[in-house]
Amino acid sequence: MKIRRVSGEERLRTSFPLQSYAFDKSPTEQAVSAHYREVLPYHSGNHTLIAEENGATVAAVSAIPMRQNIRGSILPMAGVAGVATHPLARRQGYVRALLNRLLEAMRDDGHPVSVLYPFRTSFYARFGYVSLPQHRTATFSPAGLADLARATLPGDLRWRRIADGYADHRALTQRLMARQHGFSIFPDFRAVSLRDDRKWAVTAHVDGQVVGALSYRIDEHLGQLSADTLLHTGPHGRALLLSFLARHVDQVDRVNLWLLPGETPELWADDFAVETKTDVRVPGSAAPMARVLSLEGLAGIATGPAALTVEVVDDPLLAGRYHLDGTSGALAVERSAAPAAATLTAAGLSALVYGVLDPVEIVLRRLGRFPAETAGALRDLFPPQRPYVYAEF
Ligand SMILES: CC(C)(COP(=O)(O)OP(=O)(O)OC[C@H]1O[C@@H](n2cnc3c(N)ncnc32)[C@H](O)[C@@H]1OP(=O)(O)O)[C@@H](O)C(=O)NCCC(=O)NCCS
């Protein structure tokens, strides 16, 4: 097997045909190549590796150089996508070899964390990933928001094609990333795929600042308005966007949109009928997963006042002993030869850093081994937090 990096038009002959077979309906050759040529620019900065046998591509993996908020610090993040093996070459270790190489390359390139959307969580658990919370959607009739349509709200709304509203939408995602643990955004070359989409955008503005943005399309007259995430910085932005949706009462039967974490749509109006849903299906609609690629790369993230030595085991990227010191309020990381207070797998460590599992659960899930008294120190060092991954890929 030969592993090599591909870029540009070479993707059309190597990685894309495998991805197309794995993830698309069976189309005609022509439709595939026209579509993939069109989306080529959105992959231009990806790190793509392929495995070859006798010159033929048998497997491919990619990483998108993204950014993510980790406990208040914005860090480079490797978004893994396009993982596919030729149907006759599956279960022969190709993806294991490619993924290990890809994650090592992304770590060496300064990405201390990685996120992906798994087809099956057990597959990526073998690679040190741990599940993060799944997004929620809300479905409701705009009629339920009638009061908001009549309310006098500070600020104003702008309604445009996404091509024209994209800059405001993008600016808001960048602001939200700075505020929310786990929030991640695409690099420009990929984010512009939204700008080029056939969608509408409504943005909310207060005092010259973008405080809300929603991209959407109307699927059918008197049918559904399907929106992306209801992005806002707080009650003003949200109320303005909801008042916009309320004005579609004679145009669509229902609105479906994605929610930011912590939203309580049942409180948006009186007598408001709304269905919120967390859809987790495996395979099909699994929650995102994340892992740490470099502990040293996390130096400086906000921590609680605790210090201890941990040993990370069974992982080609992280294996070793580290002293983690959060007593200054920011994480300091040093390789150490001191006895370790806790043994952690990469997934166990990642669960602590992302704040998604309690130390007790880490032991129960066999993602780590440590005495009960160490659980307190780990909890103090990495207090629980709810990460929210914005970008879908
Ligand atoms: C999923 C897929 C990428 C796996 O590729 P592969 O080259 O067959 O994987 P490998 O042979 O390298 O297997 C890696 C490990 O995962 C295990 N594994 C493979 N397929 C698995 C599956 N479907 N479920 C759970 N574990 C699986 C292997 O046993 C192996 O474990 P080990 O190294 O501990 O022995 C491939 O089957 C595929 O292309 N599927 C269709 C597209 C897809 O679903 N891609 C994933 C998108 S997130």
Side-chain angles (χ1 to χ4, degrees), residues 140-151 153 157 202 214 225 230 238-252 255 257 268-269 272:
F140 54 88
S141 163
L145 297 171
D147 280 353
L148 275 169
R150 286 187 291 271
L153 301 167
L157 286 161
V202 57
L214 186 69
L225 184 157
L230 185 77
R238 182 175 54 219
L240 280 163
L241 295 178
L242 293 179
S243 74
F244 175 83
L245 294 173
R247 289 169 212 166
H248 290 73
V249 62
D250 299 321
Q251 192 179 343
V252 295
V255 173
L257 48 74
W268 286 349
F272 184 48

PDB file of all heavy atoms in Angstrom, residues 140-151 153 157 202 214 225 230 238-252 255 257 268-269 272:
ATOM      1  N   PHE A 140     -42.534  24.252  14.315  1.00  0.00           N
ATOM      2  CA  PHE A 140     -43.700  24.969  14.839  1.00  0.00           C
ATOM      3  C   PHE A 140     -44.406  25.698  13.700  1.00  0.00           C
ATOM      4  O   PHE A 140     -43.821  25.907  12.621  1.00  0.00           O
ATOM      5  CB  PHE A 140     -43.260  25.973  15.920  1.00  0.00           C
ATOM      6  CG  PHE A 140     -42.176  26.917  15.462  1.00  0.00           C
ATOM      7  CD1 PHE A 140     -42.476  28.113  14.828  1.00  0.00           C
ATOM      8  CD2 PHE A 140     -40.835  26.588  15.649  1.00  0.00           C
ATOM      9  CE1 PHE A 140     -41.465  28.963  14.403  1.00  0.00           C
ATOM     10  CE2 PHE A 140     -39.817  27.439  15.227  1.00  0.00           C
ATOM     11  CZ  PHE A 140     -40.140  28.637  14.599  1.00  0.00           C
ATOM     12  N   SER A 141     -45.643  26.086  13.973  1.00  0.00           N
ATOM     13  CA  SER A 141     -46.370  26.894  12.996  1.00  0.00           C
ATOM     14  C   SER A 141     -46.055  28.365  13.266  1.00  0.00           C
ATOM     15  O   SER A 141     -46.060  28.798  14.426  1.00  0.00           O
ATOM     16  CB  SER A 141     -47.874  26.662  13.146  1.00  0.00           C
ATOM     17  OG  SER A 141     -48.557  27.705  12.494  1.00  0.00           O
ATOM     18  N   PRO A 142     -45.847  29.169  12.219  1.00  0.00           N
ATOM     19  CA  PRO A 142     -45.599  30.593  12.457  1.00  0.00           C
ATOM     20  C   PRO A 142     -46.789  31.265  13.132  1.00  0.00           C
ATOM     21  O   PRO A 142     -46.633  32.310  13.778  1.00  0.00           O
ATOM     22  CB  PRO A 142     -45.353  31.172  11.060  1.00  0.00           C
ATOM     23  CG  PRO A 142     -45.563  30.081  10.081  1.00  0.00           C
ATOM     24  CD  PRO A 142     -45.747  28.787  10.809  1.00  0.00           C
ATOM     25  N   ALA A 143     -47.974  30.640  13.047  1.00  0.00           N
ATOM     26  CA  ALA A 143     -49.164  31.224  13.687  1.00  0.00           C
ATOM     27  C   ALA A 143     -48.957  31.383  15.194  1.00  0.00           C
ATOM     28  O   ALA A 143     -49.462  32.314  15.809  1.00  0.00           O
ATOM     29  CB  ALA A 143     -50.387  30.351  13.420  1.00  0.00           C
ATOM     30  N   GLY A 144     -48.181  30.473  15.778  1.00  0.00           N
ATOM     31  CA  GLY A 144     -47.949  30.509  17.224  1.00  0.00           C
ATOM     32  C   GLY A 144     -47.141  31.712  17.676  1.00  0.00           C
ATOM     33  O   GLY A 144     -47.066  32.016  18.868  1.00  0.00           O
ATOM     34  N   LEU A 145     -46.528  32.421  16.732  1.00  0.00           N
ATOM     35  CA  LEU A 145     -45.675  33.567  17.090  1.00  0.00           C
ATOM     36  C   LEU A 145     -46.360  34.891  16.739  1.00  0.00           C
ATOM     37  O   LEU A 145     -45.694  35.928  16.648  1.00  0.00           O
ATOM     38  CB  LEU A 145     -44.331  33.464  16.361  1.00  0.00           C
ATOM     39  CG  LEU A 145     -43.470  32.240  16.711  1.00  0.00           C
ATOM     40  CD1 LEU A 145     -42.276  32.130  15.775  1.00  0.00           C
ATOM     41  CD2 LEU A 145     -42.989  32.306  18.166  1.00  0.00           C
ATOM     42  N   ALA A 146     -47.703  34.851  16.561  1.00  0.00           N
ATOM     43  CA  ALA A 146     -48.427  36.036  16.078  1.00  0.00           C
ATOM     44  C   ALA A 146     -48.147  37.281  16.930  1.00  0.00           C
ATOM     45  O   ALA A 146     -48.012  38.386  16.397  1.00  0.00           O
ATOM     46  CB  ALA A 146     -49.923  35.739  16.047  1.00  0.00           C
ATOM     47  N   ASP A 147     -48.036  37.111  18.240  1.00  0.00           N
ATOM     48  CA  ASP A 147     -47.800  38.271  19.113  1.00  0.00           C
ATOM     49  C   ASP A 147     -46.513  38.994  18.738  1.00  0.00           C
ATOM     50  O   ASP A 147     -46.434  40.220  18.805  1.00  0.00           O
ATOM     51  CB  ASP A 147     -47.703  37.824  20.581  1.00  0.00           C
ATOM     52  CG  ASP A 147     -49.098  37.606  21.168  1.00  0.00           C
ATOM     53  OD1 ASP A 147     -50.074  37.934  20.453  1.00  0.00           O
ATOM     54  OD2 ASP A 147     -49.190  37.095  22.299  1.00  0.00           O
ATOM     55  N   LEU A 148     -45.503  38.187  18.362  1.00  0.00           N
ATOM     56  CA  LEU A 148     -44.213  38.794  18.014  1.00  0.00           C
ATOM     57  C   LEU A 148     -44.296  39.590  16.717  1.00  0.00           C
ATOM     58  O   LEU A 148     -43.591  40.585  16.535  1.00  0.00           O
ATOM     59  CB  LEU A 148     -43.134  37.711  17.882  1.00  0.00           C
ATOM     60  CG  LEU A 148     -42.456  37.308  19.178  1.00  0.00           C
ATOM     61  CD1 LEU A 148     -41.615  36.053  18.963  1.00  0.00           C
ATOM     62  CD2 LEU A 148     -41.569  38.442  19.696  1.00  0.00           C
ATOM     63  N   ALA A 149     -45.178  39.160  15.802  1.00  0.00           N
ATOM     64  CA  ALA A 149     -45.311  39.874  14.524  1.00  0.00           C
ATOM     65  C   ALA A 149     -45.810  41.294  14.761  1.00  0.00           C
ATOM     66  O   ALA A 149     -45.524  42.201  13.993  1.00  0.00           O
ATOM     67  CB  ALA A 149     -46.259  39.114  13.604  1.00  0.00           C
ATOM     68  N   ARG A 150     -46.551  41.471  15.868  1.00  0.00           N
ATOM     69  CA  ARG A 150     -47.128  42.794  16.157  1.00  0.00           C
ATOM     70  C   ARG A 150     -46.259  43.609  17.110  1.00  0.00           C
ATOM     71  O   ARG A 150     -46.467  44.794  17.290  1.00  0.00           O
ATOM     72  CB  ARG A 150     -48.519  42.624  16.775  1.00  0.00           C
ATOM     73  CG  ARG A 150     -49.591  42.207  15.766  1.00  0.00           C
ATOM     74  CD  ARG A 150     -50.977  42.230  16.391  1.00  0.00           C
ATOM     75  NE  ARG A 150     -51.139  41.168  17.383  1.00  0.00           N
ATOM     76  CZ  ARG A 150     -51.584  39.936  17.074  1.00  0.00           C
ATOM     77  NH1 ARG A 150     -51.911  39.639  15.849  1.00  0.00           N
ATOM     78  NH2 ARG A 150     -51.700  39.018  18.028  1.00  0.00           N
ATOM     79  N   ALA A 151     -45.286  42.963  17.733  1.00  0.00           N
ATOM     80  CA  ALA A 151     -44.502  43.653  18.775  1.00  0.00           C
ATOM     81  C   ALA A 151     -43.590  44.718  18.155  1.00  0.00           C
ATOM     82  O   ALA A 151     -43.145  44.592  17.025  1.00  0.00           O
ATOM     83  CB  ALA A 151     -43.658  42.635  19.522  1.00  0.00           C
ATOM     84  N   LEU A 153     -40.125  46.059  18.250  1.00  0.00           N
ATOM     85  CA  LEU A 153     -38.834  45.569  18.736  1.00  0.00           C
ATOM     86  C   LEU A 153     -37.735  46.551  18.362  1.00  0.00           C
ATOM     87  O   LEU A 153     -37.774  47.140  17.283  1.00  0.00           O
ATOM     88  CB  LEU A 153     -38.529  44.195  18.111  1.00  0.00           C
ATOM     89  CG  LEU A 153     -39.542  43.091  18.388  1.00  0.00           C
ATOM     90  CD1 LEU A 153     -39.305  41.906  17.472  1.00  0.00           C
ATOM     91  CD2 LEU A 153     -39.450  42.660  19.846  1.00  0.00           C
ATOM     92  N   LEU A 157     -34.581  44.455  10.635  1.00  0.00           N
ATOM     93  CA  LEU A 157     -34.313  43.199   9.920  1.00  0.00           C
ATOM     94  C   LEU A 157     -33.901  43.515   8.486  1.00  0.00           C
ATOM     95  O   LEU A 157     -34.404  44.462   7.881  1.00  0.00           O
ATOM     96  CB  LEU A 157     -35.585  42.355   9.889  1.00  0.00           C
ATOM     97  CG  LEU A 157     -35.980  41.686  11.203  1.00  0.00           C
ATOM     98  CD1 LEU A 157     -37.458  41.291  11.181  1.00  0.00           C
ATOM     99  CD2 LEU A 157     -35.118  40.449  11.458  1.00  0.00           C
ATOM    100  N   VAL A 202     -32.014  36.097   6.501  1.00  0.00           N
ATOM    101  CA  VAL A 202     -32.567  37.246   7.214  1.00  0.00           C
ATOM    102  C   VAL A 202     -31.592  37.550   8.349  1.00  0.00           C
ATOM    103  O   VAL A 202     -31.105  36.634   9.021  1.00  0.00           O
ATOM    104  CB  VAL A 202     -34.007  36.980   7.720  1.00  0.00           C
ATOM    105  CG1 VAL A 202     -34.088  35.768   8.626  1.00  0.00           C
ATOM    106  CG2 VAL A 202     -34.561  38.204   8.434  1.00  0.00           C
ATOM    107  N   LEU A 214     -30.337  34.071  10.069  1.00  0.00           N
ATOM    108  CA  LEU A 214     -30.963  32.789   9.761  1.00  0.00           C
ATOM    109  C   LEU A 214     -30.942  32.592   8.245  1.00  0.00           C
ATOM    110  O   LEU A 214     -31.425  33.449   7.505  1.00  0.00           O
ATOM    111  CB  LEU A 214     -32.416  32.789  10.258  1.00  0.00           C
ATOM    112  CG  LEU A 214     -33.167  31.463  10.138  1.00  0.00           C
ATOM    113  CD1 LEU A 214     -32.609  30.422  11.107  1.00  0.00           C
ATOM    114  CD2 LEU A 214     -34.663  31.675  10.419  1.00  0.00           C
ATOM    115  N   LEU A 225     -40.986  25.795   5.798  1.00  0.00           N
ATOM    116  CA  LEU A 225     -39.829  26.683   5.687  1.00  0.00           C
ATOM    117  C   LEU A 225     -38.705  25.975   6.443  1.00  0.00           C
ATOM    118  O   LEU A 225     -38.806  25.767   7.659  1.00  0.00           O
ATOM    119  CB  LEU A 225     -40.143  28.050   6.301  1.00  0.00           C
ATOM    120  CG  LEU A 225     -39.104  29.167   6.201  1.00  0.00           C
ATOM    121  CD1 LEU A 225     -39.769  30.541   6.336  1.00  0.00           C
ATOM    122  CD2 LEU A 225     -37.981  29.032   7.212  1.00  0.00           C
ATOM    123  N   LEU A 230     -30.824  28.915  14.123  1.00  0.00           N
ATOM    124  CA  LEU A 230     -31.296  30.234  14.556  1.00  0.00           C
ATOM    125  C   LEU A 230     -30.157  30.872  15.361  1.00  0.00           C
ATOM    126  O   LEU A 230     -30.030  30.662  16.567  1.00  0.00           O
ATOM    127  CB  LEU A 230     -32.550  30.066  15.428  1.00  0.00           C
ATOM    128  CG  LEU A 230     -33.248  31.336  15.867  1.00  0.00           C
ATOM    129  CD1 LEU A 230     -34.074  31.924  14.732  1.00  0.00           C
ATOM    130  CD2 LEU A 230     -34.167  31.049  17.064  1.00  0.00           C
ATOM    131  N   ARG A 238     -32.963  37.133  18.751  1.00  0.00           N
ATOM    132  CA  ARG A 238     -33.909  36.013  18.604  1.00  0.00           C
ATOM    133  C   ARG A 238     -35.321  36.526  18.335  1.00  0.00           C
ATOM    134  O   ARG A 238     -36.014  36.049  17.432  1.00  0.00           O
ATOM    135  CB  ARG A 238     -33.898  35.137  19.865  1.00  0.00           C
ATOM    136  CG  ARG A 238     -34.821  33.939  19.735  1.00  0.00           C
ATOM    137  CD  ARG A 238     -34.711  33.010  20.927  1.00  0.00           C
ATOM    138  NE  ARG A 238     -34.923  33.715  22.157  1.00  0.00           N
ATOM    139  CZ  ARG A 238     -34.242  33.510  23.290  1.00  0.00           C
ATOM    140  NH1 ARG A 238     -33.295  32.596  23.336  1.00  0.00           N
ATOM    141  NH2 ARG A 238     -34.498  34.211  24.376  1.00  0.00           N
ATOM    142  N   ALA A 239     -35.754  37.532  19.110  1.00  0.00           N
ATOM    143  CA  ALA A 239     -37.124  38.055  18.937  1.00  0.00           C
ATOM    144  C   ALA A 239     -37.293  38.647  17.538  1.00  0.00           C
ATOM    145  O   ALA A 239     -38.340  38.466  16.896  1.00  0.00           O
ATOM    146  CB  ALA A 239     -37.421  39.094  20.011  1.00  0.00           C
ATOM    147  N   LEU A 240     -36.292  39.358  17.050  1.00  0.00           N
ATOM    148  CA  LEU A 240     -36.399  39.935  15.701  1.00  0.00           C
ATOM    149  C   LEU A 240     -36.557  38.831  14.654  1.00  0.00           C
ATOM    150  O   LEU A 240     -37.406  38.911  13.767  1.00  0.00           O
ATOM    151  CB  LEU A 240     -35.165  40.789  15.391  1.00  0.00           C
ATOM    152  CG  LEU A 240     -35.186  42.206  15.989  1.00  0.00           C
ATOM    153  CD1 LEU A 240     -33.774  42.811  15.986  1.00  0.00           C
ATOM    154  CD2 LEU A 240     -36.138  43.113  15.219  1.00  0.00           C
ATOM    155  N   LEU A 241     -35.733  37.776  14.763  1.00  0.00           N
ATOM    156  CA  LEU A 241     -35.817  36.687  13.779  1.00  0.00           C
ATOM    157  C   LEU A 241     -37.153  35.962  13.879  1.00  0.00           C
ATOM    158  O   LEU A 241     -37.774  35.624  12.873  1.00  0.00           O
ATOM    159  CB  LEU A 241     -34.669  35.690  13.970  1.00  0.00           C
ATOM    160  CG  LEU A 241     -33.252  36.216  13.706  1.00  0.00           C
ATOM    161  CD1 LEU A 241     -32.233  35.117  13.987  1.00  0.00           C
ATOM    162  CD2 LEU A 241     -33.103  36.708  12.264  1.00  0.00           C
ATOM    163  N   LEU A 242     -37.632  35.746  15.107  1.00  0.00           N
ATOM    164  CA  LEU A 242     -38.915  35.049  15.270  1.00  0.00           C
ATOM    165  C   LEU A 242     -40.063  35.904  14.729  1.00  0.00           C
ATOM    166  O   LEU A 242     -41.029  35.390  14.153  1.00  0.00           O
ATOM    167  CB  LEU A 242     -39.151  34.687  16.738  1.00  0.00           C
ATOM    168  CG  LEU A 242     -38.188  33.637  17.323  1.00  0.00           C
ATOM    169  CD1 LEU A 242     -38.511  33.368  18.795  1.00  0.00           C
ATOM    170  CD2 LEU A 242     -38.229  32.321  16.538  1.00  0.00           C
ATOM    171  N   SER A 243     -39.949  37.230  14.895  1.00  0.00           N
ATOM    172  CA  SER A 243     -41.012  38.100  14.365  1.00  0.00           C
ATOM    173  C   SER A 243     -41.035  38.015  12.841  1.00  0.00           C
ATOM    174  O   SER A 243     -42.095  38.085  12.223  1.00  0.00           O
ATOM    175  CB  SER A 243     -40.813  39.552  14.827  1.00  0.00           C
ATOM    176  OG  SER A 243     -39.741  40.160  14.128  1.00  0.00           O
ATOM    177  N   PHE A 244     -39.869  37.832  12.246  1.00  0.00           N
ATOM    178  CA  PHE A 244     -39.794  37.652  10.781  1.00  0.00           C
ATOM    179  C   PHE A 244     -40.508  36.360  10.380  1.00  0.00           C
ATOM    180  O   PHE A 244     -41.310  36.342   9.446  1.00  0.00           O
ATOM    181  CB  PHE A 244     -38.327  37.628  10.347  1.00  0.00           C
ATOM    182  CG  PHE A 244     -38.141  37.333   8.886  1.00  0.00           C
ATOM    183  CD1 PHE A 244     -38.256  38.342   7.939  1.00  0.00           C
ATOM    184  CD2 PHE A 244     -37.854  36.051   8.458  1.00  0.00           C
ATOM    185  CE1 PHE A 244     -38.101  38.069   6.586  1.00  0.00           C
ATOM    186  CE2 PHE A 244     -37.693  35.768   7.110  1.00  0.00           C
ATOM    187  CZ  PHE A 244     -37.819  36.782   6.174  1.00  0.00           C
ATOM    188  N   LEU A 245     -40.218  35.285  11.103  1.00  0.00           N
ATOM    189  CA  LEU A 245     -40.859  34.001  10.784  1.00  0.00           C
ATOM    190  C   LEU A 245     -42.375  34.095  10.968  1.00  0.00           C
ATOM    191  O   LEU A 245     -43.140  33.528  10.189  1.00  0.00           O
ATOM    192  CB  LEU A 245     -40.268  32.886  11.656  1.00  0.00           C
ATOM    193  CG  LEU A 245     -38.787  32.580  11.389  1.00  0.00           C
ATOM    194  CD1 LEU A 245     -38.241  31.590  12.419  1.00  0.00           C
ATOM    195  CD2 LEU A 245     -38.595  32.019   9.967  1.00  0.00           C
ATOM    196  N   ALA A 246     -42.805  34.846  12.000  1.00  0.00           N
ATOM    197  CA  ALA A 246     -44.242  34.980  12.284  1.00  0.00           C
ATOM    198  C   ALA A 246     -44.983  35.555  11.076  1.00  0.00           C
ATOM    199  O   ALA A 246     -46.145  35.218  10.827  1.00  0.00           O
ATOM    200  CB  ALA A 246     -44.451  35.881  13.501  1.00  0.00           C
ATOM    201  N   ARG A 247     -44.306  36.409  10.310  1.00  0.00           N
ATOM    202  CA  ARG A 247     -44.968  37.052   9.158  1.00  0.00           C
ATOM    203  C   ARG A 247     -45.179  36.098   7.989  1.00  0.00           C
ATOM    204  O   ARG A 247     -45.681  36.496   6.955  1.00  0.00           O
ATOM    205  CB  ARG A 247     -44.142  38.255   8.707  1.00  0.00           C
ATOM    206  CG  ARG A 247     -44.232  39.384   9.708  1.00  0.00           C
ATOM    207  CD  ARG A 247     -43.222  40.464   9.418  1.00  0.00           C
ATOM    208  NE  ARG A 247     -42.803  41.081  10.676  1.00  0.00           N
ATOM    209  CZ  ARG A 247     -41.758  41.859  10.804  1.00  0.00           C
ATOM    210  NH1 ARG A 247     -41.000  42.121   9.771  1.00  0.00           N
ATOM    211  NH2 ARG A 247     -41.456  42.378  11.978  1.00  0.00           N
ATOM    212  N   HIS A 248     -44.770  34.834   8.151  1.00  0.00           N
ATOM    213  CA  HIS A 248     -44.972  33.846   7.076  1.00  0.00           C
ATOM    214  C   HIS A 248     -46.203  32.976   7.314  1.00  0.00           C
ATOM    215  O   HIS A 248     -46.359  31.924   6.700  1.00  0.00           O
ATOM    216  CB  HIS A 248     -43.716  32.973   6.932  1.00  0.00           C
ATOM    217  CG  HIS A 248     -42.568  33.731   6.375  1.00  0.00           C
ATOM    218  ND1 HIS A 248     -41.875  34.668   7.099  1.00  0.00           N
ATOM    219  CD2 HIS A 248     -42.019  33.736   5.132  1.00  0.00           C
ATOM    220  CE1 HIS A 248     -40.930  35.207   6.343  1.00  0.00           C
ATOM    221  NE2 HIS A 248     -40.996  34.658   5.146  1.00  0.00           N
ATOM    222  N   VAL A 249     -47.075  33.462   8.220  1.00  0.00           N
ATOM    223  CA  VAL A 249     -48.224  32.642   8.626  1.00  0.00           C
ATOM    224  C   VAL A 249     -49.118  32.241   7.452  1.00  0.00           C
ATOM    225  O   VAL A 249     -49.676  31.141   7.450  1.00  0.00           O
ATOM    226  CB  VAL A 249     -49.021  33.368   9.747  1.00  0.00           C
ATOM    227  CG1 VAL A 249     -49.575  34.689   9.268  1.00  0.00           C
ATOM    228  CG2 VAL A 249     -50.113  32.482  10.308  1.00  0.00           C
ATOM    229  N   ASP A 250     -49.276  33.106   6.447  1.00  0.00           N
ATOM    230  CA  ASP A 250     -50.138  32.750   5.306  1.00  0.00           C
ATOM    231  C   ASP A 250     -49.348  32.100   4.174  1.00  0.00           C
ATOM    232  O   ASP A 250     -49.880  31.831   3.114  1.00  0.00           O
ATOM    233  CB  ASP A 250     -50.837  34.011   4.778  1.00  0.00           C
ATOM    234  CG  ASP A 250     -51.717  34.614   5.860  1.00  0.00           C
ATOM    235  OD1 ASP A 250     -52.357  33.826   6.590  1.00  0.00           O
ATOM    236  OD2 ASP A 250     -51.724  35.852   6.003  1.00  0.00           O
ATOM    237  N   GLN A 251     -48.076  31.875   4.417  1.00  0.00           N
ATOM    238  CA  GLN A 251     -47.218  31.384   3.335  1.00  0.00           C
ATOM    239  C   GLN A 251     -46.734  29.957   3.565  1.00  0.00           C
ATOM    240  O   GLN A 251     -46.600  29.178   2.630  1.00  0.00           O
ATOM    241  CB  GLN A 251     -46.015  32.341   3.208  1.00  0.00           C
ATOM    242  CG  GLN A 251     -45.213  32.132   1.965  1.00  0.00           C
ATOM    243  CD  GLN A 251     -44.047  33.115   1.887  1.00  0.00           C
ATOM    244  OE1 GLN A 251     -44.019  34.131   2.582  1.00  0.00           O
ATOM    245  NE2 GLN A 251     -43.085  32.807   1.048  1.00  0.00           N
ATOM    246  N   VAL A 252     -46.430  29.632   4.837  1.00  0.00           N
ATOM    247  CA  VAL A 252     -45.983  28.268   5.136  1.00  0.00           C
ATOM    248  C   VAL A 252     -46.766  27.714   6.322  1.00  0.00           C
ATOM    249  O   VAL A 252     -47.222  28.455   7.197  1.00  0.00           O
ATOM    250  CB  VAL A 252     -44.457  28.186   5.442  1.00  0.00           C
ATOM    251  CG1 VAL A 252     -43.644  28.553   4.225  1.00  0.00           C
ATOM    252  CG2 VAL A 252     -44.073  29.028   6.644  1.00  0.00           C
ATOM    253  N   VAL A 255     -42.421  25.812  10.340  1.00  0.00           N
ATOM    254  CA  VAL A 255     -41.013  26.192  10.265  1.00  0.00           C
ATOM    255  C   VAL A 255     -40.226  25.109  10.971  1.00  0.00           C
ATOM    256  O   VAL A 255     -40.626  24.629  12.042  1.00  0.00           O
ATOM    257  CB  VAL A 255     -40.758  27.546  10.975  1.00  0.00           C
ATOM    258  CG1 VAL A 255     -39.274  27.864  11.052  1.00  0.00           C
ATOM    259  CG2 VAL A 255     -41.526  28.666  10.284  1.00  0.00           C
ATOM    260  N   LEU A 257     -36.250  24.496  12.246  1.00  0.00           N
ATOM    261  CA  LEU A 257     -34.920  25.114  12.340  1.00  0.00           C
ATOM    262  C   LEU A 257     -34.092  24.426  13.411  1.00  0.00           C
ATOM    263  O   LEU A 257     -34.596  23.668  14.240  1.00  0.00           O
ATOM    264  CB  LEU A 257     -35.029  26.625  12.611  1.00  0.00           C
ATOM    265  CG  LEU A 257     -35.952  27.138  13.723  1.00  0.00           C
ATOM    266  CD1 LEU A 257     -35.377  26.886  15.090  1.00  0.00           C
ATOM    267  CD2 LEU A 257     -36.187  28.634  13.539  1.00  0.00           C
ATOM    268  N   TRP A 268     -41.171  30.775  24.069  1.00  0.00           N
ATOM    269  CA  TRP A 268     -41.116  31.885  23.114  1.00  0.00           C
ATOM    270  C   TRP A 268     -42.424  32.662  23.021  1.00  0.00           C
ATOM    271  O   TRP A 268     -42.439  33.818  22.618  1.00  0.00           O
ATOM    272  CB  TRP A 268     -40.744  31.362  21.712  1.00  0.00           C
ATOM    273  CG  TRP A 268     -39.293  30.985  21.581  1.00  0.00           C
ATOM    274  CD1 TRP A 268     -38.284  31.251  22.467  1.00  0.00           C
ATOM    275  CD2 TRP A 268     -38.690  30.263  20.494  1.00  0.00           C
ATOM    276  NE1 TRP A 268     -37.097  30.733  22.006  1.00  0.00           N
ATOM    277  CE2 TRP A 268     -37.319  30.122  20.795  1.00  0.00           C
ATOM    278  CE3 TRP A 268     -39.175  29.709  19.308  1.00  0.00           C
ATOM    279  CZ2 TRP A 268     -36.425  29.460  19.949  1.00  0.00           C
ATOM    280  CZ3 TRP A 268     -38.291  29.064  18.468  1.00  0.00           C
ATOM    281  CH2 TRP A 268     -36.924  28.947  18.783  1.00  0.00           C
ATOM    282  N   ALA A 269     -43.545  32.014  23.338  1.00  0.00           N
ATOM    283  CA  ALA A 269     -44.843  32.703  23.253  1.00  0.00           C
ATOM    284  C   ALA A 269     -45.866  31.913  24.063  1.00  0.00           C
ATOM    285  O   ALA A 269     -45.646  30.740  24.360  1.00  0.00           O
ATOM    286  CB  ALA A 269     -45.300  32.791  21.793  1.00  0.00           C
ATOM    287  N   PHE A 272     -47.960  28.363  22.695  1.00  0.00           N
ATOM    288  CA  PHE A 272     -47.098  28.078  21.540  1.00  0.00           C
ATOM    289  C   PHE A 272     -46.856  26.573  21.463  1.00  0.00           C
ATOM    290  O   PHE A 272     -46.293  25.979  22.383  1.00  0.00           O
ATOM    291  CB  PHE A 272     -45.772  28.835  21.726  1.00  0.00           C
ATOM    292  CG  PHE A 272     -44.829  28.704  20.574  1.00  0.00           C
ATOM    293  CD1 PHE A 272     -45.258  28.906  19.274  1.00  0.00           C
ATOM    294  CD2 PHE A 272     -43.483  28.400  20.789  1.00  0.00           C
ATOM    295  CE1 PHE A 272     -44.377  28.805  18.201  1.00  0.00           C
ATOM    296  CE2 PHE A 272     -42.603  28.294  19.739  1.00  0.00           C
ATOM    297  CZ  PHE A 272     -43.052  28.498  18.435  1.00  0.00           C
TER     298      PHE A 272
END
